[in-house]
Amino acid sequence: MVNRLGEFIKREWFLSSLFVLYVVLLLRDGSLLERTPDLIDWGGLALITSLILVSKGLELSGAFAELSILVVNLSRGSEKRLALILLPTIALSSAIIMNDTAMLIFIPFIVALSRLIERDMAALVVFSAIAANVGSSLTPIGNPQNIIIWRHYGVPFQDFIAYMLPFVLLWLILLLLFAFVVFRGSLPERKLQAVKVREGLLWSSLFLLIINIVLAREGEALWTLPLTVVILSLVGRDVLLSFDWALVLTFAFIFVDFGELSRIMASLGLHPPSSEVGLFLSSALLSQVVSNVPATVLLLSAENWGPLAVGVNAGGTGFMVGSLANLIAIRIARVSIGKFHRYSVPYFLLILLLSALLLWILP
């Protein structure tokens, strides 16, 4: 029993930390127990869970595995060409299927390719994690922090994309420039086995993706989860069985813990910066300490959603704790923390500076 608990804490260290924080906050104020359900954005939690399930369905359909093989074939043995094709592909995919799921699809593929050609491709893993964070920044459904901001501020879907587009283009161009300099080798050509696409699961997942967005825009986000579970139980039960349900509990504790911390800060007269650049910098740097989803919840009292969205999304590209996508990539590929930060930290510092300048310039 003790060993199992120890294994769970080691595996789910972030969830365990959130639970400990909840206990500390509960000891500080016993009324938190009664207020806990009110601190959770149930619609947001349902939508996040639904979109992760849909992303898992797209992953298990095999469509993105087939896409990965196509990318390798197009690279024609060039490491540089592979990176310059793969990174935009990951970025675009992440805008649709969420950054965490993109890592679950593309990182195992890179690891398998690395073994096949007998070459260390840790740098490509790091760049792929950055690409996932960058691409997911574009849409309200690209990552959990965007879903929270989108719902909390009631931002129109197209307005969110229009605001984030200049920053995402800047970040992606810089990433491709980094890749152009770093990747210079050649790849031994190997024949990769084709993947059979489960068309029923693919089309059902795409349908759910569209209908979930429509329901969320109409203020009916709570209905997304039961609808998604029912349809996937009929066409892809393995999606439900393979889903990491501990993630749902993790997001629930994020809402409660950091919602309560936000309330405590407000009671002490501590509020998010009012200036756009100040809010951007504080949210980006806070994400380096507590990860970008908790940082989002903590700063939701900010008046201006735009700099907050830019900041927490930029904050996912620095230290490994900045985004769950980073942790997934590191865990799957077993990339050393030092090697990860060798590329991610300089990139983060550069986009931090240029994004602050762009915020200052834009009307």
Side-chain angles (χ1 to χ4, degrees):
M1 181 66 178
V2 175
N3 289 338
R4 288 183 179 179
L5 180 61
E7 291 175 3
F8 177 83
I9 293 174
K10 184 178 180 180
R11 184 177 68 252
E12 302 293 345
W13 62 269
F14 191 48
L15 174 58
S16 302
S17 301
L18 291 170
F19 177 74
V20 171
L21 177 58
Y22 177 76
V23 172
V24 171
L25 292 170
L26 187 61
L27 291 174
R28 178 187 178 276
D29 184 353
S31 68
L32 174 60
L33 185 62
E34 183 179 351
R35 292 184 287 105
T36 293
D38 296 329
L39 288 170
I40 299 175
D41 178 358
W42 293 104
L45 186 61
L47 181 59
I48 289 171
T49 306
S50 300
L51 290 175
I52 294 176
L53 281 168
V54 169
S55 299
K56 189 69 176 177
L58 290 170
E59 173 195 348
L60 295 182
S61 74
F64 283 90
E66 185 72 15
L67 176 63
S68 301
I69 294 173
L70 175 63
V71 167
V72 171
N73 291 335
L74 290 174
S75 69
R76 300 198 302 273
S78 168
E79 189 181 49
K80 188 188 298 291
R81 190 178 291 114
L82 173 62
L84 294 179
I85 297 174
L86 182 63
L87 297 179
T89 302
I90 293 175
L92 180 61
S93 301
S94 299
I96 302 170
I97 63 171
M98 303 183 73
N99 54 352
D100 301 342
T101 303
M103 291 295 88
L104 291 170
I105 294 171
F106 288 102
I107 297 302
F109 170 78
I110 295 173
V111 172
L113 179 64
S114 176
R115 291 171 181 166
L116 186 66
I117 65 176
E118 298 179 346
R119 177 174 298 178
D120 180 13
M121 303 191 73
L124 187 57
V125 170
V126 180
F127 277 72
S128 297
I130 296 174
N133 287 313
V134 167
S136 70
S137 307
L138 180 62
T139 66
I141 61 168
N143 51 52
Q145 66 267 22
N146 283 2
I147 293 174
I148 293 170
I149 292 171
W150 177 40
R151 280 183 47 79
H152 182 81
Y153 290 94
V155 187
F157 198 94
Q158 63 277 10
D159 290 358
F160 191 102
I161 293 176
Y163 186 92
M164 293 300 300
L165 183 60
F167 298 96
V168 173
L169 287 176
L170 170 66
W171 300 344
L172 184 58
I173 290 171
L174 290 173
L175 179 63
L176 294 178
L177 288 175
F178 267 58
F180 188 83
V181 173
V182 171
F183 298 102
R184 299 181 178 181
S186 60
L187 301 172
E189 295 193 26
R190 298 285 191 275
K191 183 174 178 58
L192 302 176
Q193 187 174 0
V195 176
K196 183 178 180 181
V197 177
R198 297 165 60 183
E199 293 188 2
L201 181 56
L202 172 62
W203 291 113
S204 298
S205 298
L206 289 173
F207 166 76
L208 284 171
L209 177 64
I210 295 170
I211 199 67
N212 284 342
I213 293 173
V214 172
L215 286 171
R217 291 182 65 176
E218 296 300 319
E220 302 292 343
L222 274 174
W223 288 101
T224 59
L225 186 55
L227 177 65
T228 300
V229 170
V230 168
I231 292 180
L232 289 179
S233 66
L234 296 174
V235 299
R237 193 169 297 176
D238 53 332
V239 176
L240 300 177
L241 294 175
S242 60
F243 181 67
D244 184 5
W245 291 97
L247 273 176
V248 182
L249 200 55
T250 298
F251 286 117
F253 272 115
I254 286 174
F255 278 120
V256 174
D257 289 355
F258 290 91
E260 177 68 3
L261 286 173
S262 179
R263 186 189 70 82
I264 294 172
M265 288 173 56
S267 68
L268 297 174
L270 301 174
H271 302 283
S274 57
S275 70
E276 291 192 347
V277 174
L279 179 57
F280 160 72
L281 291 174
S282 61
S283 56
L285 295 174
L286 183 61
S287 297
Q288 303 303 294
V289 180
V290 299
S291 193
N292 51 12
V293 178
T296 301
V297 177
L298 193 61
L299 297 172
L300 275 181
S301 60
E303 294 182 4
N304 197 340
W305 69 270
L308 174 61
V310 176
V312 293
N313 280 294
T317 63
F319 288 129
M320 66 172 189
V321 75
S323 167
L324 183 59
N326 299 339
L327 300 176
I328 291 173
I330 289 173
R331 179 187 294 185
I332 294 176
R334 300 181 184 275
V335 174
S336 70
I337 296 174
K339 187 167 288 187
F340 186 90
H341 290 152
R342 175 185 176 185
Y343 299 108
S344 64
V345 171
Y347 176 81
F348 167 69
L349 293 175
L350 181 59
I351 69 168
L352 190 72
L353 175 63
L354 294 180
S355 299
L357 182 62
L358 186 58
L359 263 176
W360 183 67
I361 293 174
L362 291 176

mmCIF file of all heavy atoms in Angstrom, residues 85-125:
data_model
loop_
_atom_site.group_PDB
_atom_site.id
_atom_site.type_symbol
_atom_site.label_atom_id
_atom_site.label_comp_id
_atom_site.label_asym_id
_atom_site.label_seq_id
_atom_site.Cartn_x
_atom_site.Cartn_y
_atom_site.Cartn_z
ATOM 1 N N ILE A 85 9.919 21.194 -41.695
ATOM 2 C CA ILE A 85 8.592 20.702 -42.064
ATOM 3 C C ILE A 85 7.821 20.261 -40.827
ATOM 4 O O ILE A 85 6.632 20.551 -40.664
ATOM 5 C CB ILE A 85 8.685 19.527 -43.060
ATOM 6 C CG1 ILE A 85 9.320 19.987 -44.366
ATOM 7 C CG2 ILE A 85 7.306 18.932 -43.327
ATOM 8 C CD1 ILE A 85 9.587 18.859 -45.352
ATOM 9 N N LEU A 86 8.516 19.566 -39.923
ATOM 10 C CA LEU A 86 7.858 18.984 -38.751
ATOM 11 C C LEU A 86 7.368 20.048 -37.771
ATOM 12 O O LEU A 86 6.250 19.957 -37.246
ATOM 13 C CB LEU A 86 8.811 18.026 -38.037
ATOM 14 C CG LEU A 86 8.249 17.285 -36.811
ATOM 15 C CD1 LEU A 86 7.100 16.385 -37.227
ATOM 16 C CD2 LEU A 86 9.346 16.487 -36.118
ATOM 17 N N LEU A 87 8.165 21.066 -37.518
ATOM 18 C CA LEU A 87 7.810 22.056 -36.502
ATOM 19 C C LEU A 87 6.535 22.831 -36.850
ATOM 20 O O LEU A 87 5.650 22.971 -36.006
ATOM 21 C CB LEU A 87 8.992 23.008 -36.257
ATOM 22 C CG LEU A 87 10.258 22.339 -35.691
ATOM 23 C CD1 LEU A 87 11.365 23.360 -35.502
ATOM 24 C CD2 LEU A 87 9.972 21.615 -34.385
ATOM 25 N N PRO A 88 6.384 23.353 -38.087
ATOM 26 C CA PRO A 88 5.103 23.987 -38.420
ATOM 27 C C PRO A 88 3.930 22.998 -38.387
ATOM 28 O O PRO A 88 2.806 23.377 -38.040
ATOM 29 C CB PRO A 88 5.326 24.514 -39.849
ATOM 30 C CG PRO A 88 6.796 24.651 -39.974
ATOM 31 C CD PRO A 88 7.368 23.532 -39.167
ATOM 32 N N THR A 89 4.195 21.737 -38.733
ATOM 33 C CA THR A 89 3.145 20.725 -38.678
ATOM 34 C C THR A 89 2.663 20.523 -37.250
ATOM 35 O O THR A 89 1.454 20.452 -36.981
ATOM 36 C CB THR A 89 3.659 19.381 -39.244
ATOM 37 O OG1 THR A 89 4.101 19.569 -40.588
ATOM 38 C CG2 THR A 89 2.569 18.327 -39.208
ATOM 39 N N ILE A 90 3.599 20.443 -36.314
ATOM 40 C CA ILE A 90 3.246 20.300 -34.905
ATOM 41 C C ILE A 90 2.509 21.535 -34.413
ATOM 42 O O ILE A 90 1.512 21.439 -33.689
ATOM 43 C CB ILE A 90 4.510 20.043 -34.057
ATOM 44 C CG1 ILE A 90 5.114 18.683 -34.388
ATOM 45 C CG2 ILE A 90 4.191 20.136 -32.561
ATOM 46 C CD1 ILE A 90 6.425 18.399 -33.681
ATOM 47 N N ALA A 91 3.000 22.709 -34.806
ATOM 48 C CA ALA A 91 2.371 23.962 -34.374
ATOM 49 C C ALA A 91 0.924 24.037 -34.853
ATOM 50 O O ALA A 91 0.011 24.358 -34.076
ATOM 51 C CB ALA A 91 3.169 25.155 -34.894
ATOM 52 N N LEU A 92 0.699 23.733 -36.126
ATOM 53 C CA LEU A 92 -0.657 23.771 -36.672
ATOM 54 C C LEU A 92 -1.547 22.724 -36.017
ATOM 55 O O LEU A 92 -2.706 22.994 -35.691
ATOM 56 C CB LEU A 92 -0.615 23.558 -38.182
ATOM 57 C CG LEU A 92 -1.967 23.573 -38.918
ATOM 58 C CD1 LEU A 92 -2.652 24.929 -38.731
ATOM 59 C CD2 LEU A 92 -1.775 23.278 -40.400
ATOM 60 N N SER A 93 -1.006 21.538 -35.811
ATOM 61 C CA SER A 93 -1.775 20.473 -35.160
ATOM 62 C C SER A 93 -2.169 20.873 -33.749
ATOM 63 O O SER A 93 -3.303 20.616 -33.314
ATOM 64 C CB SER A 93 -0.955 19.182 -35.123
ATOM 65 O OG SER A 93 -0.584 18.760 -36.419
ATOM 66 N N SER A 94 -1.260 21.515 -33.034
ATOM 67 C CA SER A 94 -1.515 21.894 -31.643
ATOM 68 C C SER A 94 -2.621 22.917 -31.521
ATOM 69 O O SER A 94 -3.330 22.962 -30.515
ATOM 70 C CB SER A 94 -0.232 22.447 -30.999
ATOM 71 O OG SER A 94 0.783 21.476 -31.004
ATOM 72 N N ALA A 95 -2.781 23.750 -32.537
ATOM 73 C CA ALA A 95 -3.857 24.738 -32.521
ATOM 74 C C ALA A 95 -5.228 24.079 -32.576
ATOM 75 O O ALA A 95 -6.231 24.668 -32.174
ATOM 76 C CB ALA A 95 -3.707 25.706 -33.692
ATOM 77 N N ILE A 96 -5.251 22.823 -33.047
ATOM 78 C CA ILE A 96 -6.515 22.104 -33.201
ATOM 79 C C ILE A 96 -6.706 21.042 -32.137
ATOM 80 O O ILE A 96 -7.778 20.918 -31.548
ATOM 81 C CB ILE A 96 -6.578 21.452 -34.601
ATOM 82 C CG1 ILE A 96 -6.422 22.520 -35.691
ATOM 83 C CG2 ILE A 96 -7.887 20.676 -34.787
ATOM 84 C CD1 ILE A 96 -6.229 21.959 -37.074
ATOM 85 N N ILE A 97 -5.652 20.266 -31.859
ATOM 86 C CA ILE A 97 -5.801 19.107 -30.969
ATOM 87 C C ILE A 97 -5.184 19.319 -29.587
ATOM 88 O O ILE A 97 -5.064 18.362 -28.817
ATOM 89 C CB ILE A 97 -5.189 17.850 -31.610
ATOM 90 C CG1 ILE A 97 -3.665 18.027 -31.808
ATOM 91 C CG2 ILE A 97 -5.861 17.522 -32.926
ATOM 92 C CD1 ILE A 97 -2.953 16.757 -32.233
ATOM 93 N N MET A 98 -4.776 20.520 -29.252
ATOM 94 C CA MET A 98 -4.157 20.866 -27.971
ATOM 95 C C MET A 98 -2.694 20.414 -27.927
ATOM 96 O O MET A 98 -2.333 19.374 -28.454
ATOM 97 C CB MET A 98 -4.941 20.315 -26.776
ATOM 98 C CG MET A 98 -6.380 20.780 -26.739
ATOM 99 S SD MET A 98 -7.292 20.207 -25.275
ATOM 100 C CE MET A 98 -6.571 21.248 -23.983
ATOM 101 N N ASN A 99 -1.885 21.209 -27.249
ATOM 102 C CA ASN A 99 -0.441 20.975 -27.242
ATOM 103 C C ASN A 99 -0.039 19.676 -26.553
ATOM 104 O O ASN A 99 0.883 18.984 -26.990
ATOM 105 C CB ASN A 99 0.298 22.167 -26.619
ATOM 106 C CG ASN A 99 -0.214 22.525 -25.242
ATOM 107 O OD1 ASN A 99 -1.229 22.001 -24.768
ATOM 108 N ND2 ASN A 99 0.478 23.431 -24.572
ATOM 109 N N ASP A 100 -0.721 19.323 -25.460
ATOM 110 C CA ASP A 100 -0.367 18.107 -24.731
ATOM 111 C C ASP A 100 -0.546 16.879 -25.623
ATOM 112 O O ASP A 100 0.305 15.981 -25.655
ATOM 113 C CB ASP A 100 -1.230 17.956 -23.477
ATOM 114 C CG ASP A 100 -1.077 19.138 -22.529
ATOM 115 O OD1 ASP A 100 -0.079 19.871 -22.666
ATOM 116 O OD2 ASP A 100 -1.946 19.335 -21.668
ATOM 117 N N THR A 101 -1.657 16.833 -26.345
ATOM 118 C CA THR A 101 -1.926 15.694 -27.219
ATOM 119 C C THR A 101 -0.946 15.652 -28.386
ATOM 120 O O THR A 101 -0.528 14.568 -28.817
ATOM 121 C CB THR A 101 -3.370 15.749 -27.743
ATOM 122 O OG1 THR A 101 -4.258 15.792 -26.642
ATOM 123 C CG2 THR A 101 -3.694 14.534 -28.591
ATOM 124 N N ALA A 102 -0.578 16.807 -28.904
ATOM 125 C CA ALA A 102 0.413 16.849 -29.988
ATOM 126 C C ALA A 102 1.715 16.196 -29.542
ATOM 127 O O ALA A 102 2.368 15.483 -30.312
ATOM 128 C CB ALA A 102 0.657 18.294 -30.421
ATOM 129 N N MET A 103 2.098 16.405 -28.286
ATOM 130 C CA MET A 103 3.306 15.779 -27.768
ATOM 131 C C MET A 103 3.147 14.257 -27.664
ATOM 132 O O MET A 103 4.078 13.504 -27.946
ATOM 133 C CB MET A 103 3.654 16.360 -26.388
ATOM 134 C CG MET A 103 4.112 17.812 -26.423
ATOM 135 S SD MET A 103 5.678 18.079 -27.301
ATOM 136 C CE MET A 103 5.122 18.309 -29.012
ATOM 137 N N LEU A 104 1.963 13.826 -27.267
ATOM 138 C CA LEU A 104 1.709 12.386 -27.153
ATOM 139 C C LEU A 104 1.717 11.709 -28.526
ATOM 140 O O LEU A 104 1.941 10.507 -28.628
ATOM 141 C CB LEU A 104 0.359 12.142 -26.467
ATOM 142 C CG LEU A 104 0.309 12.528 -24.988
ATOM 143 C CD1 LEU A 104 -1.121 12.481 -24.468
ATOM 144 C CD2 LEU A 104 1.210 11.616 -24.163
ATOM 145 N N ILE A 105 1.486 12.480 -29.579
ATOM 146 C CA ILE A 105 1.496 11.932 -30.935
ATOM 147 C C ILE A 105 2.890 11.997 -31.549
ATOM 148 O O ILE A 105 3.417 10.997 -32.052
ATOM 149 C CB ILE A 105 0.503 12.695 -31.833
ATOM 150 C CG1 ILE A 105 -0.931 12.459 -31.364
ATOM 151 C CG2 ILE A 105 0.659 12.267 -33.296
ATOM 152 C CD1 ILE A 105 -1.942 13.341 -32.045
ATOM 153 N N PHE A 106 3.517 13.166 -31.505
ATOM 154 C CA PHE A 106 4.741 13.386 -32.268
ATOM 155 C C PHE A 106 6.015 12.964 -31.530
ATOM 156 O O PHE A 106 6.969 12.540 -32.178
ATOM 157 C CB PHE A 106 4.844 14.864 -32.675
ATOM 158 C CG PHE A 106 3.872 15.254 -33.748
ATOM 159 C CD1 PHE A 106 2.707 15.945 -33.442
ATOM 160 C CD2 PHE A 106 4.105 14.923 -35.065
ATOM 161 C CE1 PHE A 106 1.805 16.301 -34.432
ATOM 162 C CE2 PHE A 106 3.209 15.278 -36.070
ATOM 163 C CZ PHE A 106 2.053 15.965 -35.754
ATOM 164 N N ILE A 107 6.056 13.081 -30.208
ATOM 165 C CA ILE A 107 7.288 12.716 -29.491
ATOM 166 C C ILE A 107 7.589 11.225 -29.587
ATOM 167 O O ILE A 107 8.741 10.849 -29.867
ATOM 168 C CB ILE A 107 7.226 13.182 -28.023
ATOM 169 C CG1 ILE A 107 7.127 14.714 -27.952
ATOM 170 C CG2 ILE A 107 8.473 12.717 -27.267
ATOM 171 C CD1 ILE A 107 8.259 15.453 -28.637
ATOM 172 N N PRO A 108 6.595 10.337 -29.380
ATOM 173 C CA PRO A 108 6.913 8.908 -29.585
ATOM 174 C C PRO A 108 7.405 8.617 -31.004
ATOM 175 O O PRO A 108 8.264 7.749 -31.202
ATOM 176 C CB PRO A 108 5.570 8.210 -29.317
ATOM 177 C CG PRO A 108 4.838 9.136 -28.410
ATOM 178 C CD PRO A 108 5.233 10.514 -28.877
ATOM 179 N N PHE A 109 6.872 9.351 -31.969
ATOM 180 C CA PHE A 109 7.319 9.178 -33.347
ATOM 181 C C PHE A 109 8.793 9.580 -33.483
ATOM 182 O O PHE A 109 9.588 8.875 -34.129
ATOM 183 C CB PHE A 109 6.454 10.017 -34.279
ATOM 184 C CG PHE A 109 6.988 10.094 -35.679
ATOM 185 C CD1 PHE A 109 6.820 9.037 -36.550
ATOM 186 C CD2 PHE A 109 7.667 11.220 -36.109
ATOM 187 C CE1 PHE A 109 7.320 9.097 -37.842
ATOM 188 C CE2 PHE A 109 8.174 11.283 -37.390
ATOM 189 C CZ PHE A 109 7.999 10.218 -38.261
ATOM 190 N N ILE A 110 9.191 10.707 -32.884
ATOM 191 C CA ILE A 110 10.586 11.152 -32.952
ATOM 192 C C ILE A 110 11.506 10.161 -32.241
ATOM 193 O O ILE A 110 12.602 9.850 -32.711
ATOM 194 C CB ILE A 110 10.731 12.561 -32.335
ATOM 195 C CG1 ILE A 110 9.958 13.584 -33.172
ATOM 196 C CG2 ILE A 110 12.204 12.963 -32.253
ATOM 197 C CD1 ILE A 110 9.900 14.973 -32.548
ATOM 198 N N VAL A 111 11.046 9.636 -31.102
ATOM 199 C CA VAL A 111 11.838 8.642 -30.368
ATOM 200 C C VAL A 111 12.041 7.389 -31.212
ATOM 201 O O VAL A 111 13.153 6.842 -31.293
ATOM 202 C CB VAL A 111 11.141 8.285 -29.037
ATOM 203 C CG1 VAL A 111 11.848 7.103 -28.362
ATOM 204 C CG2 VAL A 111 11.137 9.489 -28.093
ATOM 205 N N ALA A 112 10.956 6.929 -31.855
ATOM 206 C CA ALA A 112 11.052 5.740 -32.703
ATOM 207 C C ALA A 112 11.988 5.993 -33.883
ATOM 208 O O ALA A 112 12.798 5.128 -34.257
ATOM 209 C CB ALA A 112 9.664 5.345 -33.202
ATOM 210 N N LEU A 113 11.905 7.172 -34.465
ATOM 211 C CA LEU A 113 12.770 7.531 -35.583
ATOM 212 C C LEU A 113 14.232 7.580 -35.129
ATOM 213 O O LEU A 113 15.128 7.124 -35.841
ATOM 214 C CB LEU A 113 12.346 8.887 -36.156
ATOM 215 C CG LEU A 113 13.174 9.421 -37.326
ATOM 216 C CD1 LEU A 113 13.042 8.504 -38.536
ATOM 217 C CD2 LEU A 113 12.737 10.846 -37.682
ATOM 218 N N SER A 114 14.456 8.116 -33.935
ATOM 219 C CA SER A 114 15.813 8.207 -33.386
ATOM 220 C C SER A 114 16.441 6.818 -33.244
ATOM 221 O O SER A 114 17.616 6.608 -33.561
ATOM 222 C CB SER A 114 15.776 8.914 -32.030
ATOM 223 O OG SER A 114 17.050 8.943 -31.439
ATOM 224 N N ARG A 115 15.634 5.860 -32.773
ATOM 225 C CA ARG A 115 16.136 4.485 -32.632
ATOM 226 C C ARG A 115 16.371 3.845 -33.986
ATOM 227 O O ARG A 115 17.339 3.096 -34.182
ATOM 228 C CB ARG A 115 15.131 3.661 -31.822
ATOM 229 C CG ARG A 115 15.048 4.074 -30.351
ATOM 230 C CD ARG A 115 13.895 3.381 -29.662
ATOM 231 N NE ARG A 115 13.792 3.790 -28.253
ATOM 232 C CZ ARG A 115 12.737 3.556 -27.492
ATOM 233 N NH1 ARG A 115 11.680 2.911 -27.998
ATOM 234 N NH2 ARG A 115 12.731 3.960 -26.230
ATOM 235 N N LEU A 116 15.489 4.162 -34.933
ATOM 236 C CA LEU A 116 15.584 3.556 -36.256
ATOM 237 C C LEU A 116 16.856 3.980 -36.972
ATOM 238 O O LEU A 116 17.534 3.159 -37.605
ATOM 239 C CB LEU A 116 14.357 3.943 -37.083
ATOM 240 C CG LEU A 116 14.209 3.291 -38.456
ATOM 241 C CD1 LEU A 116 13.980 1.794 -38.307
ATOM 242 C CD2 LEU A 116 13.072 3.929 -39.234
ATOM 243 N N ILE A 117 17.202 5.260 -36.868
ATOM 244 C CA ILE A 117 18.381 5.765 -37.574
ATOM 245 C C ILE A 117 19.608 5.819 -36.662
ATOM 246 O O ILE A 117 20.673 6.255 -37.075
ATOM 247 C CB ILE A 117 18.119 7.164 -38.167
ATOM 248 C CG1 ILE A 117 17.878 8.197 -37.063
ATOM 249 C CG2 ILE A 117 16.934 7.126 -39.125
ATOM 250 C CD1 ILE A 117 17.703 9.605 -37.572
ATOM 251 N N GLU A 118 19.411 5.389 -35.398
ATOM 252 C CA GLU A 118 20.511 5.317 -34.417
ATOM 253 C C GLU A 118 21.204 6.661 -34.246
ATOM 254 O O GLU A 118 22.413 6.791 -34.391
ATOM 255 C CB GLU A 118 21.512 4.237 -34.846
ATOM 256 C CG GLU A 118 20.905 2.845 -34.907
ATOM 257 C CD GLU A 118 21.908 1.796 -35.359
ATOM 258 O OE1 GLU A 118 22.977 2.188 -35.872
ATOM 259 O OE2 GLU A 118 21.630 0.604 -35.184
ATOM 260 N N ARG A 119 20.376 7.673 -33.945
ATOM 261 C CA ARG A 119 20.921 9.021 -33.731
ATOM 262 C C ARG A 119 20.154 9.721 -32.617
ATOM 263 O O ARG A 119 18.935 9.581 -32.510
ATOM 264 C CB ARG A 119 20.826 9.846 -35.012
ATOM 265 C CG ARG A 119 21.300 11.283 -34.833
ATOM 266 C CD ARG A 119 21.345 12.026 -36.130
ATOM 267 N NE ARG A 119 22.289 11.433 -37.060
ATOM 268 C CZ ARG A 119 22.491 11.873 -38.303
ATOM 269 N NH1 ARG A 119 21.806 12.906 -38.750
ATOM 270 N NH2 ARG A 119 23.357 11.282 -39.098
ATOM 271 N N ASP A 120 20.886 10.486 -31.797
ATOM 272 C CA ASP A 120 20.267 11.262 -30.725
ATOM 273 C C ASP A 120 19.540 12.464 -31.338
ATOM 274 O O ASP A 120 20.158 13.302 -31.993
ATOM 275 C CB ASP A 120 21.344 11.740 -29.747
ATOM 276 C CG ASP A 120 20.753 12.565 -28.602
ATOM 277 O OD1 ASP A 120 19.515 12.555 -28.438
ATOM 278 O OD2 ASP A 120 21.530 13.213 -27.870
ATOM 279 N N MET A 121 18.217 12.516 -31.121
ATOM 280 C CA MET A 121 17.423 13.614 -31.675
ATOM 281 C C MET A 121 16.771 14.415 -30.551
ATOM 282 O O MET A 121 15.643 14.892 -30.674
ATOM 283 C CB MET A 121 16.375 13.068 -32.646
ATOM 284 C CG MET A 121 16.967 12.252 -33.785
ATOM 285 S SD MET A 121 15.796 11.851 -35.104
ATOM 286 C CE MET A 121 15.629 13.459 -35.877
ATOM 287 N N ALA A 122 17.493 14.561 -29.428
ATOM 288 C CA ALA A 122 16.964 15.289 -28.279
ATOM 289 C C ALA A 122 16.634 16.735 -28.645
ATOM 290 O O ALA A 122 15.636 17.295 -28.176
ATOM 291 C CB ALA A 122 17.972 15.251 -27.133
ATOM 292 N N ALA A 123 17.467 17.346 -29.478
ATOM 293 C CA ALA A 123 17.218 18.742 -29.857
ATOM 294 C C ALA A 123 15.880 18.880 -30.585
ATOM 295 O O ALA A 123 15.136 19.837 -30.358
ATOM 296 C CB ALA A 123 18.348 19.259 -30.736
ATOM 297 N N LEU A 124 15.553 17.909 -31.430
ATOM 298 C CA LEU A 124 14.279 17.955 -32.159
ATOM 299 C C LEU A 124 13.108 17.780 -31.204
ATOM 300 O O LEU A 124 12.045 18.369 -31.412
ATOM 301 C CB LEU A 124 14.247 16.879 -33.242
ATOM 302 C CG LEU A 124 13.051 16.911 -34.192
ATOM 303 C CD1 LEU A 124 12.955 18.262 -34.892
ATOM 304 C CD2 LEU A 124 13.142 15.784 -35.222
ATOM 305 N N VAL A 125 13.296 17.003 -30.145
ATOM 306 C CA VAL A 125 12.253 16.843 -29.126
ATOM 307 C C VAL A 125 11.972 18.184 -28.450
ATOM 308 O O VAL A 125 10.816 18.583 -28.272
ATOM 309 C CB VAL A 125 12.675 15.793 -28.075
ATOM 310 C CG1 VAL A 125 11.709 15.799 -26.885
ATOM 311 C CG2 VAL A 125 12.722 14.404 -28.695
#
